[in-house]
Amino acid sequence: MKRTVLLLLSLVSIMASNASNYLLEFGTNHFDGWIYTQSIIEISNSNISQDNINLYWDYALISPEVTAPSAKIITVNVTGRTKSYEEPEYSNALGKVSVQLINENDSLLNEVRYTFKKKEQDRNFQVDFDVTDASSAPFKLRLSCPDANIESRFSVRKVQVSVKEYNLSGVAGDVNNDGVVTSADITALYDYLLNNDTSKIINGDVNTDGDITSADVTDVYNILLGVM
């Protein structure tokens, strides 16, 4: 039995190490399915590195459709840069970046506008979206600078969208959020790691290290055995 468990954990670890931690990605080697609107530029490694994915007026970057079953919160991390403009031409307010969740019909579900506080060329920011009502239906991410009046007010270089999980029941190791820790929680983790089945994963990051891996399976085993 012990050997079987160790073999399964090893298999899970190998598969988990090859899996992406992100729900959506944009950047070098991660631009398939992303659309750059109002532009003749076809997204490629070259124009991402050359800052040609510019957001201003009605130019926008739109992600492929995605779902996040059972997710409550998704976190959007954006990396980009601005050109250096002198006042009064340059204004942080004009460079405000709009990050929107839209449905398959392009209707707005939620929006956060991020305003930069300092004139820095390289910029990074993060926004959180409550997707409780949208996670089970296809939705897309849309980035734009609708108030910007100058090209390259903000150029997108990288976007990473991940699921932020919370232990809703408050019980350590309660992966499926039913209020208790049982073998069902281990099964839910195996189904996720081996089959990418997210249907029963609510609190999968048991050790809160930011990833769901075989280490979380081990922690649930230890909780069941009473050693944690």
Side-chain angles (χ1 to χ4, degrees), residues 1 7-8 22 28 57 106 108 127 134 167 178 188 220 227:
M1 175 65 180
L7 180 61
L8 283 171
Y22 298 107
T28 304
W57 290 330
D106 293 338
L108 181 64
V127 298
N167 190 335
D178 65 357
V220 176
V227 296

Side-chain angles (χ1 to χ4, degrees), residues 27-188:
T28 304
N29 300 322
H30 293 285
F31 51 80
D32 288 345
W34 288 74
I35 298 172
Y36 183 32
T37 63
Q38 303 296 320
S39 174
I40 61 173
I41 296 175
E42 183 176 349
I43 298 175
S44 67
N45 285 343
S46 175
N47 58 43
I48 293 172
S49 63
Q50 294 172 11
D51 303 329
N52 287 334
I53 311 302
N54 303 319
L55 302 183
Y56 65 106
W57 290 330
D58 57 353
Y59 284 69
L61 181 66
I62 302 177
S63 78
E65 289 185 354
V66 68
T67 58
S70 302
K72 304 299 180 185
I73 302 290
I74 65 167
T75 297
V76 183
N77 286 283
V78 182
T79 301
R81 61 178 50 182
T82 60
K83 288 183 177 178
S84 178
Y85 297 109
E86 297 299 327
E87 297 290 359
E89 182 182 30
Y90 180 84
S91 166
N92 280 337
L94 292 178
K96 190 179 297 183
V97 180
S98 168
V99 184
Q100 298 178 331
L101 285 180
I102 56 178
N103 63 19
E104 62 265 52
N105 298 318
D106 293 338
S107 296
L108 181 64
L109 299 173
N110 206 339
E111 178 183 26
V112 173
R113 289 200 177 192
Y114 188 90
T115 302
F116 301 109
K117 298 178 181 178
K118 295 186 296 184
K119 291 171 61 177
E120 297 175 348
Q121 184 178 20
D122 294 315
R123 302 177 180 276
N124 300 277
F125 66 92
Q126 174 182 307
V127 298
D128 290 335
F129 282 110
D130 184 338
V131 293
T132 304
D133 297 327
S135 61
S136 60
F139 61 86
K140 296 179 285 187
L141 190 71
R142 184 179 188 272
L143 292 93
S144 64
C145 283
D147 299 324
N149 58 0
I150 300 174
E151 184 176 348
S152 290
R153 183 65 77 181
F154 184 75
S155 299
V156 182
R157 298 174 63 85
K158 186 176 182 181
V159 180
Q160 293 180 324
V161 182
S162 55
V163 175
K164 179 180 289 187
E165 294 183 311
Y166 294 98
N167 190 335
L168 302 178
S169 73
V171 178
D174 182 16
V175 174
N176 61 10
N177 198 47
D178 65 357
V180 292
V181 181
T182 67
S183 60
D185 297 299
I186 293 174
T187 300

Side-chain angles (χ1 to χ4, degrees), residues 15 19-20 22 69 188-199 201:
M15 296 190 68
S20 172
Y22 298 107
L189 284 171
Y190 277 136
D191 285 345
Y192 171 77
L193 292 169
L194 296 175
N195 305 313
N196 199 31
D197 180 0
T198 61
S199 62
I201 291 286

